[in-house]
Amino acid sequence: MRAADIMTRTVITISPDHSVRHAAQLMLDNHISGLPVCDDEGVLVGMLSEGDLLRRAELGSAALGKKETSSPTQVAEAYIKGHGWRVDDVMTRGSLTVGTDAPVGQIAELMAKRAIKRVPVIRDGRIVGIVSRRDILELIAAAEPERFAAGDEAIKCAVLARLASDLGLDRNVIEVRVDRGVVTLCGTVESGVKRLAARVAAEAVDGVGCVRNELRVAHETERASPKPKP
Amino acid sequence: MRAADIMTRTVITISPDHSVRHAAQLMLDNHISGLPVCDDEGVLVGMLSEGDLLRRAELGSAALGKKETSSPTQVAEAYIKGHGWRVDDVMTRGSLTVGTDAPVGQIAELMAKRAIKRVPVIRDGRIVGIVSRRDILELIAAAEPERFAAGDEAIKCAVLARLASDLGLDRNVIEVRVDRGVVTLCGTVESGVKRLAARVAAEAVDGVGCVRNELRVAHETERASPKPKP
């Protein structure tokens, strides 16, 4: 799955010369939380998002972010962002973009790492779409687990394989029993969080009805931190 | 304006035992980007937001955030968040909350500082509403500038007063001329960004038609960084 497969193709953009108020209304009307800012030639010059509008004179929050350590330049910049009425004064300059071929997983990781909500999709220097977190969410909501009739023995093999591949646990340290789809995990792992991860790994195997987690944690001290789950 | 004045009163919550897929669908159906997670007694135990769903097995991004410096515990935690199918495994535990009397400016500043999109509003330990960035945006879209018929002399006084109070510039360093609503700023300021801030301050005065910014910057070196605007 790539950017072109999930992107929204109708992209609402705004001019740097428009008013902040108009931009806010445009976001509200279209149920979006940010806008690419394009100049008269359609070239992307920045992004205006809800985050750019949180420290504003209208809210009485323009000066709240001011620290005692702020330099005169930072104070003046915050003033411009808090009081400017033109998009140009308030937007975040520049923008990360992706090509139409960018894999969805990479886009999601980019959003996570850079804490951004949307990425314009560019082809030949022009915006052809935008991928938002909402587009990513749709993939998760649509992800249908592949269900197939699996006997207890097949489930056991699948759970053991997953514990080995995903968590590096093999049948020397963990015993897996399966009775009519109910999986029981026994043995010892080195931490509470690994115990939890083993349950998650077993639950993700197709055909598993429920998981009884009887794994023990090797060191009691580590067991205390993340609360073990049934 | 306080939390109670702008909060959304119908709060959609989810149980920690629900599936991640169900949660994603709930967010899509209701055009929201995050859900308070409440236990059977209605007690808030965490938040599930789009950000929690960016590093997921369904997207192929579960392991992309993994660094070589990650500890075994961090790797296991990322595995749980990327593969767990229950909200409980994936949500962010705990949540910042505000009371119904919290001023909107403070809430906006909290959102900016902590990079959060929504804050549950609590009264007597129960969720009574939620304030999202969208609620903040509505205030900005609705903020009507107070317009009044102001003569050139009144505008001049107002601009000078604002330059002094907001930026610490007084009539000894800046000359303000007003001709039929058109404001011209002359004089010298110490940096390019302060020059820009002076324009923003003048533009924000009621009755100002347009601002001609003829301010000079004292030191050429500082002038270079933020590009001066007309």
Side-chain angles (χ1 to χ4, degrees):
Chain A
M1 199 79 84
R2 292 173 183 277
D5 302 319
I6 63 160
M7 69 187 188
T8 302
R9 285 165 195 274
T10 314
V11 184
I12 297 156
T13 64
I14 195 162
S15 152
D17 296 324
H18 276 140
S19 76
V20 167
R21 222 178 121 224
H22 173 67
Q25 194 60 55
L26 205 58
M27 289 192 234
L28 288 169
D29 291 346
N30 292 283
H31 291 274
I32 50 180
S33 62
L35 294 163
V37 184
C38 294
D39 67 15
D40 291 346
E41 277 80 44
V43 176
L44 182 70
V45 292
M47 296 287 285
L48 183 78
S49 66
E50 287 173 351
D52 294 314
L53 302 177
L54 289 177
R55 283 167 176 153
R56 291 287 299 172
E58 297 93 322
L59 306 170
S61 58
L64 285 178
K66 201 163 84 179
K67 299 183 197 81
E68 290 189 6
T69 54
S70 300
S71 69
T73 299
Q74 286 169 328
V75 169
E77 280 168 355
Y79 183 85
I80 293 165
K81 228 168 147 87
H83 292 79
W85 68 267
R86 294 202 315 167
V87 168
D88 194 34
D89 291 327
V90 178
M91 69 180 188
T92 300
R93 286 179 196 281
S95 171
L96 288 171
T97 60
V98 294
T100 50
D101 280 345
V104 164
Q106 265 179 28
I107 299 174
E109 170 57 20
L110 189 70
M111 287 177 174
K113 205 162 78 182
R114 307 294 283 266
I116 51 178
K117 311 291 162 312
R118 66 202 66 71
V119 186
V121 184
I122 303 286
R123 184 163 44 206
D124 302 330
R126 317 294 295 180
I127 299 185
V128 292
I130 193 159
V131 175
S132 69
R133 290 192 176 187
R134 191 176 166 84
D135 299 314
I136 302 281
L137 209 60
E138 280 180 356
L139 292 183
I140 290 170
E144 198 71 58
E146 285 175 48
R147 290 282 169 208
F148 54 90
D152 284 350
E153 197 52 37
I155 289 177
K156 181 177 167 176
C157 288
V159 170
L160 280 166
R162 185 174 280 256
L163 291 174
S165 68
D166 289 4
L167 300 176
L169 303 170
D170 66 26
R171 58 182 73 218
N172 296 324
V173 293
I174 292 199
E175 186 197 346
V176 174
R177 292 195 300 267
V178 187
D179 182 14
R180 280 165 293 180
V182 176
V183 173
T184 305
L185 304 176
C186 301
T188 305
V189 290
E190 72 255 39
S191 66
V193 67
K194 212 144 190 187
R195 180 180 183 277
L196 205 54
R199 170 180 63 75
V200 165
E203 280 176 349
V205 168
D206 303 335
V208 169
C210 106
V211 175
R212 295 178 54 202
N213 198 350
E214 297 181 359
L215 288 171
R216 283 186 307 278
V217 176
H219 310 293
E220 279 300 317
T221 49
E222 287 188 80
R223 193 180 205 167
S225 46
K227 193 178 149 200
K229 297 260 171 57
Chain B
M1 199 79 86
R2 292 173 183 276
D5 303 319
I6 64 160
M7 68 187 187
T8 302
R9 284 164 195 276
T10 314
V11 185
I12 297 155
T13 64
I14 196 161
S15 153
D17 296 325
H18 275 141
S19 75
V20 167
R21 220 178 122 228
H22 173 67
Q25 194 60 55
L26 205 58
M27 287 192 236
L28 288 168
D29 291 346
N30 292 283
H31 292 275
I32 49 181
S33 62
L35 295 163
V37 184
C38 293
D39 67 14
D40 290 346
E41 277 81 45
V43 176
L44 181 70
V45 292
M47 296 288 286
L48 183 78
S49 66
E50 288 173 350
D52 294 313
L53 302 177
L54 289 177
R55 284 167 175 153
R56 291 286 300 171
E58 297 93 321
L59 305 171
S61 58
L64 286 179
K66 201 163 82 177
K67 299 182 199 82
E68 290 188 6
T69 54
S70 300
S71 70
T73 298
Q74 286 170 327
V75 170
E77 280 169 355
Y79 183 85
I80 293 166
K81 225 166 149 86
H83 291 80
W85 68 268
R86 294 202 314 166
V87 168
D88 194 33
D89 291 327
V90 177
M91 70 180 187
T92 300
R93 283 177 199 285
S95 170
L96 288 171
T97 60
V98 293
T100 49
D101 281 344
V104 164
Q106 266 180 28
I107 299 174
E109 170 59 18
L110 190 70
M111 287 178 173
K113 204 162 77 182
R114 307 295 283 265
I116 52 178
K117 311 291 161 312
R118 65 201 67 71
V119 186
V121 183
I122 303 286
R123 183 164 42 206
D124 302 331
R126 319 294 295 179
I127 299 185
V128 292
I130 193 159
V131 175
S132 68
R133 289 191 177 189
R134 190 175 166 82
D135 299 315
I136 302 282
L137 209 60
E138 280 179 355
L139 292 183
I140 290 171
E144 198 70 60
E146 285 175 47
R147 292 278 170 212
F148 55 90
D152 285 349
E153 197 53 35
I155 290 176
K156 181 177 167 175
C157 288
V159 170
L160 281 166
R162 185 174 281 257
L163 291 174
S165 66
D166 290 3
L167 301 175
L169 304 169
D170 66 25
R171 58 182 74 218
N172 295 325
V173 293
I174 292 199
E175 186 198 345
V176 174
R177 290 196 300 267
V178 187
D179 182 14
R180 279 164 293 178
V182 177
V183 174
T184 305
L185 303 176
C186 301
T188 305
V189 290
E190 72 254 40
S191 67
V193 67
K194 213 144 189 187
R195 181 180 182 276
L196 206 53
R199 172 180 61 75
V200 165
E203 280 177 348
V205 169
D206 305 335
V208 168
C210 107
V211 176
R212 295 178 54 202
N213 198 349
E214 298 181 357
L215 287 170
R216 283 185 308 276
V217 176
H219 310 293
E220 278 300 314
T221 48
E222 287 188 79
R223 193 180 204 166
S225 47
K227 193 178 147 201
K229 297 261 171 57

